[in-house]
Amino acid sequence: IQIPNKSTRLNREFFARHAEDVAKDLLGRVLVFERSDRKCPVYAQLREIAAYEGKANSMSKGILYDPGILAVSTKYGKRILDIATLEICKPSCVTLVSALIGDARGKVSYVEGPGNLGEALGIDKEYDSLPINLFPIWIGGEAISADKIQQRNLSNLPNNCKGYFYYKD
């Protein structure tokens, strides 16, 4: 995992776009979680992201629809991480689905599934409704090239899902 420089940290304006555009542009970037209970940060290179726009039960309940705001919800006993997109008061977000997770010591593992990812990162409700661009959670680094992006074709997606976007090395 390429550890991002803080100068590449995404600002909240990055998220003030359509969920599908944000999802694609997040692929390959790294979520940094500088946890106070650990000596070194946790890094998650984002590998799959779902995009949602419009009201439906698939998005976090009570999410603050303000671009760049993190929503931490619980579904099936696991934490789901959503980030609001588009504009204030418009139901639109991306859901983090899978990532390559590691730390500065070099330990790396692939985590798949939005609930599994939230659990592996250890991001809990205390971070709900906080901006994604401030300490201790932020996203930085470079996106992958657009020609590597693929879209998962799932038959049972809710009508507000704009797609699941992913890439593999």
Side-chain angles (χ1 to χ4, degrees), residues 21-61:
D21 296 332
V22 172
K24 291 175 182 178
D25 205 7
L26 283 174
L27 291 171
R29 296 183 192 269
V30 177
L31 181 143
V32 179
F33 184 24
E34 300 177 35
R35 297 168 35 161
S36 59
D37 63 338
R38 298 228 175 142
K39 291 181 181 176
C40 61
V42 175
Y43 302 97
Q45 185 182 46
L46 303 173
R47 297 292 179 111
E48 184 170 3
I49 299 170
Y52 296 92
E53 285 187 12
K55 292 190 183 224
N57 293 335
S58 60
M59 292 164 44
S60 294
K61 304 242 186 294

Side-chain angles (χ1 to χ4, degrees), residues 72-164:
V72 182
S73 62
T74 303
K75 189 170 186 176
Y76 307 117
K78 295 188 177 185
R79 291 183 292 261
I80 309 292
L81 307 176
D82 294 323
I83 304 169
T85 60
L86 199 54
E87 57 188 84
I88 295 173
C89 297
K90 297 276 186 184
S92 176
C93 71
V94 293
T95 299
L96 307 184
V97 177
S98 73
L100 192 61
I101 297 179
D103 59 28
R105 298 173 301 202
K107 182 180 176 185
V108 176
S109 61
Y110 180 70
V111 178
E112 191 170 15
N116 296 331
L117 182 58
E119 293 296 313
L121 289 169
I123 297 173
D124 59 26
K125 286 290 221 176
E126 81 177 84
Y127 301 101
D128 185 50
S129 302
L130 294 179
I132 191 74
N133 65 329
L134 300 176
F135 176 85
I137 304 171
W138 54 278
I139 298 174
E142 299 300 320
I144 62 158
S145 63
D147 62 324
K148 291 185 179 181
I149 297 172
Q150 299 179 41
Q151 185 169 354
R152 197 170 304 288
N153 294 320
L154 302 173
S155 59
N156 59 344
L157 296 175
N159 63 358
N160 70 326
C161 183
K162 301 302 178 189
Y164 276 64

